[in-house]
Every structure is written in C-alpha cells, then in structure tokens.
Amino acid sequence: MYYTTVTEQQVNGVMIEPLQIYPRACKPPGKRNIHGLKVNTRAGSSNNSCPAVTEGLSNNSLKKSSAELKKILANGQMNEQDIQYRDILGHGNGGTVYKAYHVPSGKILAVKVILLDITVELQKQIMSELEILYKCDSAYIIGFYGAFFVENRISICTEFMDGGSLDVYRKIPEHVLGRISVAVVKGLTYLWSLKILHRDVKPSNMLVNTRGQVKLCDFGVSTQLVNSIAKTYVGTNAYMAPERIAGEQYGIHSDVWSFGISFMELALGRFPYPQVLRPGEVLNEVIQKSQGSLMPLQLLQCIVDEDPPVLPVGVFSEPFVHFITQCMRKLSTERPAPEELMVHPFIVQYNDKNAEVVSMWVCRMLEEWRSQQGIQ
Ligand code: ATP
Ligand code: MG
C-alpha cells in the first residue's frame, strides 16, 4: 500500500510514471499455494532475509476481534520480533508479500516487504505519509496494521485475505463480477473522498476472502515511497489510462479507466487488448520474454492510439457492456464521475449487499484448486 496523496499539483501536473507492471491474465493455478496464490514456497527456503516460521497457530488467538487487534498494533507494538513469516503469497515489482503470524495478537497478516536503499530522513518521511492509512476506515479497503523499517527494508502489515487477489481467478461470471464491481467502486469512491488517487488499480490489487469481502490494496498514500520504488522500476503498467501512458494529466478519471480495463479482463478471462501468442505460450511468458523489445511498447501504443476494446454484446448483459464502455472512454472527461459510477444501472442492480454470492464463488474456486493440487 503505497503511492501518493493527491495534491492539486500532482493531479494536474505531468507525472513521471513508474514503468512496467504487465497484465496478468490467465495465470495457471497449478503453481499456486493452497490459497490459490502465486508461490508455493516456504519463506525459510527462499532467498530472503525474513525468518521462516515454525508451525502452530493458536485457535484462541484467532478469536480476538479486529478492534482489539487494531488497538494492539496501533500502539506501536508492530515490529519485526513479533512477526513470524510463513508462506510467500506473491512477488510484485516493488517487493514480496508474506503470509505472517503476529505473535502478540495471534492474527495472520499479509506483510509486504520492500527493499529500499534510502536515507533515514526519507524513511521517516515515508512513515509519516503512511499515517493516513490508520485513518482509512472502509469495508472496501484493506485493513492497515502498521509499518516499520529494518535496515534497508520496509515491512507494511495489512489484513490477510484468504482468497488472494483477483488476477488468479480467470473468467469470473457476471453475477459475481457485479457484486465485486460494487465493492471496488465503493472502495475507490472512499479513497477519492479522502483525496487519494489509487494509481495502481488492477486485478492483483483487488483482494477477496471467503467471507465474500472485496478490498482494495496498494493505493497511493506515500509520495516518497512511490518515488523510491520507481527508481528500481522499468516499464509501463498496461492498466494505465491512455492519457497516463502518454504522460498527460492524471486524475480520478484515470483510476476509472484502470477499473474498466481490469473488469473487462476479469470478465473475458484475458487481457482485453490483442496479444500475439505462439501455441502453448501464455501471456505472462510472452511479456516477460519481450521486456525491452517492441512488443510491450506496441501494446501501449495500441492503448494510446486505437479505439478501446468493447465487451461482446450478447455474451454479457447490456448494462455491464455499457458500464465498462463508459469507464473506458478514450477521452477522460467522458468517463463517469464518481457519483455517476454509483448510480449506473449495472452497479445499482448488484448493490444488494449479497456477500454470499462472492463468498460461495471464492470458496468453490479455492476448493477446485485444492483438489487439482491433491490437497485435502
Ligand atoms: P505489482 O507489484 O506490480 O503491484 P502485485 O500487486 O501482484 O504487482 P504485490 O502487491 O507485491 O504485487 O502482491 C503480490 C501478491 O501478493 C498479490 O498478487 C496477491 O496475490 C498477494 N497479496 C498481496 N496482499 C495480500 C493480502 N493482504 N492478502 C492476501 N494476499 C495478498
Ligand atoms: Mg499489489
């Protein structure tokens, strides 16, 4: 959870963008851990500086309420000694996310560890910029428990979501996606109301759990953190709006584009722009191989120059197709404003607070992955 709080200057000024987060459609679930997440590696066996953890979670401790937990963690008790790292949940461009056990509270956390070679002054600045996360209080935003620096790495501790991120789920049925869209729109609207732009809306930053909750993570609150990460970061995020790729003004409407393209991908089960694939190749492999060559640039050029893709009518409902088409209008000013998103017929239709639909679907998918991997 990083990036910048919006100021007039940042919204209206030309941003220097971090580069290279590519679309992650259709990743094979076979290489995932029991939660269907990315890596099936024990933290202890990986080449990282975080200690591995032994087995055993206290059932009692899991009964602690989240209010209690927040209290413990917000009292400055969040530190490396109290955290036992377990599985690796995934790697991103900025760092590695671990499933971890917080000993004093007995809770499972997700801890994102990012290596940052920066001065102590900058570390302090990042810590103070992250303070706003304690104030974020929305059912649609990942819970923040605290952050700390140890040597040259920052650990950001958040609520663990047992369904992982949406990028692993391939094609999601429209009635499920509808409920997920409502939560994401509410999460974004909340951030925008705090004058925070997300800046990294994409399926891997939308998390789900078996209770059917959907929460946003990795949004922009620390200018210094995003700048520090950007220094070791090359490429362009394919979920970025055309105006952002072109280096023009960035604002709420750019988050709306990224929301639209993400949901189009989740509906189709693949990144919406055409990709040239050889037989047997998956999109991620092609993108990794072609880093630095023309292919990703062509993709970005396509996003900037061509008409946006449209969901096939007949396969998806008319309100859904209309909603995504509006979010992906090339001209940013023509995209729906926050208040328009909430009253769009597609959102209204699925704004029924029915978490069970998402819950059942997450549970079913996790069950399928477990049985594919032969896990009881
Ligand atoms: P990028 O670094 O380009 O933003 P990313 O979002 O995939 O890519 P990370 O933010 O480092 O990378 O996250 C890695 C993975 O860890 C995610 O894709 C998700 O599967 C998992 N993850 C992150 N946060 C949590 C969490 N709170 N609970 C469960 N899984 C999480
Ligand atoms: Mg992320």
Side-chain angles (χ1 to χ4, degrees), residues 129-174:
E129 286 173 342
L130 290 178
E131 284 281 303
I132 193 173
L133 294 177
Y134 287 110
K135 295 186 194 119
C136 280
D137 185 17
S138 158
Y140 310 102
I141 300 295
I142 198 78
F144 174 70
Y145 297 141
F148 54 86
F149 269 96
V150 175
E151 296 166 0
N152 63 345
R153 60 178 201 269
I154 185 171
S155 298
I156 301 172
C157 307
T158 60
E159 176 184 5
F160 169 69
M161 297 288 278
D162 62 359
S165 49
L166 290 183
D167 56 323
V168 302
Y169 283 90
R170 296 173 183 244
K171 241 181 189 171
I172 304 179
E174 188 177 322

Side-chain angles (χ1 to χ4, degrees), residues 10 15 34 44 142 251 281 303 305 325 340 345 376:
Q10 285 154 356
M15 302 300 298
I34 56 159
I142 198 78
E281 260 180 335
I303 295 170
D305 293 341
T325 306
E340 291 168 327
Q376 294 303 310

Side-chain angles (χ1 to χ4, degrees), residues 21 24 38 92-93 110 112 159 161 165 202 204-205 218:
I21 315 166
R24 295 179 168 189
K38 286 178 184 166
N93 282 293
K112 185 165 194 165
E159 176 184 5
M161 297 288 278
S165 49
K202 56 180 178 176
S204 72
N205 288 335
D218 288 349

